[in-house]
Amino acid sequence: MPLLRLLTDSRHFWLLAVLVVAGDALLSELIIRFISYTEIDWETYMIQVQLFLKGERDYSNISGPTGPLVYPAGHVYIFRFLHSVTDSGKNIRFAQHLYTLLYTVSVALTCAIYGKAGNIPNALLFILPLSKRLHSLYVLRLFNDCWSVVAVQAAILALQNEMDDLAIVLFSVALSVKMSILLYLPSLLVILVKRRGLVYSFRKIFNIIGIQAMLAYPFLQEDWRAYANSAFDFSRVFMYKWTVNWRMIPEDIFLSQRWARGLFIGHISVLVLFGLTRWCNKDGGVWAVLDRACRRPNLPAGIAPVTPNDVATLMFTSNLVGLIFARSLHYQFYSWYAQQIPFLAWRNRYPVILRLLLIGVIEYGWNVYPSTVVSSSALLGANVLLLAGIWSAPA
């Protein structure tokens, strides 16, 4: 039957992807038409841009109704453009249509990443349009996270196609919108060192820093400390009442520096564990890779090709580790990994019913508002099980 072949034959993957992308775009337009827009941060973004347009370059003086400007310079430029094409932010409906286009690009990039990685069931694409929360974040809330997500998705696709220079530029653009993109950096370094060598990798790190400095130049020139402290504030503490992650922890412990240090140590430890036991297995182990990297820094440190599947799995896993150990996750942060969950679920050995259950529980956890001890515990448990399944799967 044609429908059965469409769902099961890998030769029809791209046709199904086109149908899913088109259908999801239509669904998003219907959501805009029939569901009311919810104001959260859009007004603040527009007020911050207005201060920028009036000549303010000191980050500490740029603020709005929901708080100060705490995002890197790329965020300012994107929303300056949106400010100019939406009648200073008043034309919300047009902004929603732009976000629908952005969401459609995101779904298309996700399908492309899945298809390039290979060994993904066609039917898995049907899961992508099912997230209620993700549609809300894009077309009903207009969060800035969405722009960084699309940029990093494009970077991952470029890495899969061995267009590493382009990937670094796209990664830098993503980082210039949200600091959270740093969660991908450990896996990006592993990929670059294995594929291109130590010297190349160091050059690209300097390129990333250089692009950030170039985009932020007007603000750095005015007060570099104010910019650094706002755009890349690693000590920022989010309000407990908004968190989706670690809700089961009492508020006094949650807000303590001791708990923050413990999560940081856990984050680094799990990344090291993956680096030591999983990410370099095909190359003789991590110590062999490091030995080759130091002895011949201008040559690739890996001996096995870094496949498109390796790229997607490493980048998505690194991001998931960071999310698990994030002290606070707000609802818009779901966009950081929502479209990666089906891929990761199919990169482990769990029974199919358990994989689908994990996807469903994660979606449930992000749709309970406000979060509860039960919903937060379920979300954390599902994320941990998903990560454990990836660790136990074949390298």
Side-chain angles (χ1 to χ4, degrees):
M1 294 177 61
L3 180 59
L4 183 62
R5 288 199 300 271
L6 185 65
L7 295 177
T8 59
D9 192 336
S10 60
R11 292 175 297 179
H12 299 309
F13 179 90
W14 297 109
L15 173 59
L16 184 60
V18 170
L19 295 176
V20 167
V21 171
D24 208 357
L26 176 60
L27 175 60
S28 299
E29 286 293 336
L30 291 174
I31 290 172
I32 291 174
R33 181 172 181 179
F34 293 107
I35 301 179
S36 300
Y37 161 79
T38 303
E39 170 58 43
I40 297 181
D41 282 338
W42 175 262
E43 181 185 2
T44 291
Y45 297 158
M46 293 299 106
I47 290 174
Q48 291 169 348
V49 167
Q50 288 169 10
L51 291 172
F52 171 77
L53 292 174
K54 290 177 182 178
E56 183 60 69
R57 297 296 182 267
D58 187 334
Y59 248 54
S60 62
N61 294 331
I62 303 178
S63 187
T66 60
L69 178 56
V70 292
Y71 310 114
H75 159 88
V76 177
Y77 302 135
I78 288 172
F79 282 89
R80 180 177 66 176
F81 165 75
L82 293 173
H83 181 275
S84 68
V85 299
T86 60
D87 187 22
S88 302
K90 300 182 184 69
N91 192 343
I92 299 294
R93 182 56 61 91
F94 184 59
Q96 288 181 283
H97 290 310
L98 290 176
Y99 265 81
T100 295
L101 177 60
L102 182 69
Y103 174 72
T104 303
V105 171
S106 178
V107 177
L109 287 170
T110 301
C111 291
I113 292 169
Y114 281 28
K116 189 69 179 178
N119 197 27
I120 290 291
N122 292 14
L124 201 63
L125 297 180
F126 281 113
I127 295 178
L128 295 178
L130 298 182
S131 175
K132 174 186 175 182
R133 176 62 67 185
L134 190 60
H135 284 96
S136 172
L137 297 177
Y138 273 85
V139 302
L140 298 180
R141 269 73 172 180
L142 311 182
F143 282 113
N144 67 338
D145 304 74
C146 306
W147 296 90
S148 64
V149 167
V150 170
V152 82
Q153 287 175 326
I156 291 170
L157 185 60
L159 280 173
Q160 287 182 307
N161 287 280
E162 300 188 27
M163 304 166 66
D164 294 350
D165 291 340
L166 175 61
I168 291 301
V169 173
L170 292 167
F171 181 87
S172 300
V173 170
L175 181 58
S176 77
V177 181
K178 291 284 289 191
M179 183 180 68
S180 59
I181 299 301
L182 288 172
L183 297 179
Y184 293 96
L185 188 59
S187 56
L188 176 63
L189 289 175
V190 170
I191 292 167
L192 293 179
V193 170
K194 289 171 63 174
R195 180 183 279 172
R196 304 289 186 179
L198 201 58
V199 171
Y200 178 91
S201 302
F202 275 122
R203 287 209 314 267
K204 293 309 165 185
I205 293 300
F206 284 116
N207 287 350
I208 292 171
I209 295 172
I211 291 172
Q212 300 309 306
M214 178 184 68
L215 292 172
Y217 179 74
F219 308 106
L220 295 173
Q221 190 178 36
E222 181 68 25
D223 188 340
W224 68 268
R225 289 185 179 86
Y227 178 80
N229 290 336
S230 297
F232 293 96
D233 181 7
F234 292 96
S235 63
R236 188 181 308 152
V237 178
F238 294 101
M239 295 179 67
Y240 179 74
K241 69 177 182 178
W242 298 120
T243 189
V244 183
N245 209 24
W246 299 108
R247 171 69 71 179
M248 72 293 300
I249 302 299
E251 184 173 1
D252 57 333
I253 298 176
F254 180 91
L255 296 174
S256 70
Q257 283 300 309
R258 186 176 179 181
W259 177 246
R261 286 193 295 269
L263 289 174
F264 177 75
I265 292 170
H267 184 185
I268 298 302
S269 299
V270 173
L271 286 174
V272 170
L273 180 65
F274 269 93
L276 290 175
T277 64
R278 310 305 298 158
W279 287 349
C280 298
N281 281 4
K282 295 192 297 182
D283 305 286
V286 66
W287 304 115
V289 171
L290 290 174
D291 179 64
R292 285 191 293 270
C294 294
R295 285 191 295 105
R296 48 182 200 185
N298 287 302
L299 296 175
I303 55 176
V306 180
T307 67
N309 176 51
D310 294 335
V311 169
T313 304
L314 265 67
M315 295 289 277
F316 291 175
T317 301
S318 181
N319 186 44
L320 177 60
V321 172
L323 283 159
I324 288 173
F325 287 97
R327 174 162 47 168
S328 178
L329 293 178
H330 291 185
Y331 286 92
Q332 64 266 34
F333 297 175
Y334 186 37
S335 63
W336 297 0
Y337 80 130
Q339 293 161 317
Q340 302 171 9
I341 295 166
F343 180 95
L344 292 174
W346 254 255
R347 286 295 180 259
N348 60 55
R349 293 174 169 175
Y350 294 145
V352 171
I353 187 65
L354 180 55
R355 302 179 200 181
L356 294 174
L357 181 62
L358 289 176
I359 295 171
V361 169
I362 291 172
E363 176 72 15
Y364 157 78
W366 287 99
N367 277 282
V368 175
Y369 176 81
S371 67
T372 65
V373 170
V374 172
S375 67
S376 183
S377 299
L379 173 63
L380 180 62
N383 283 335
V384 170
L385 280 174
L386 187 62
L387 184 65
I390 298 164
W391 185 85
S392 61

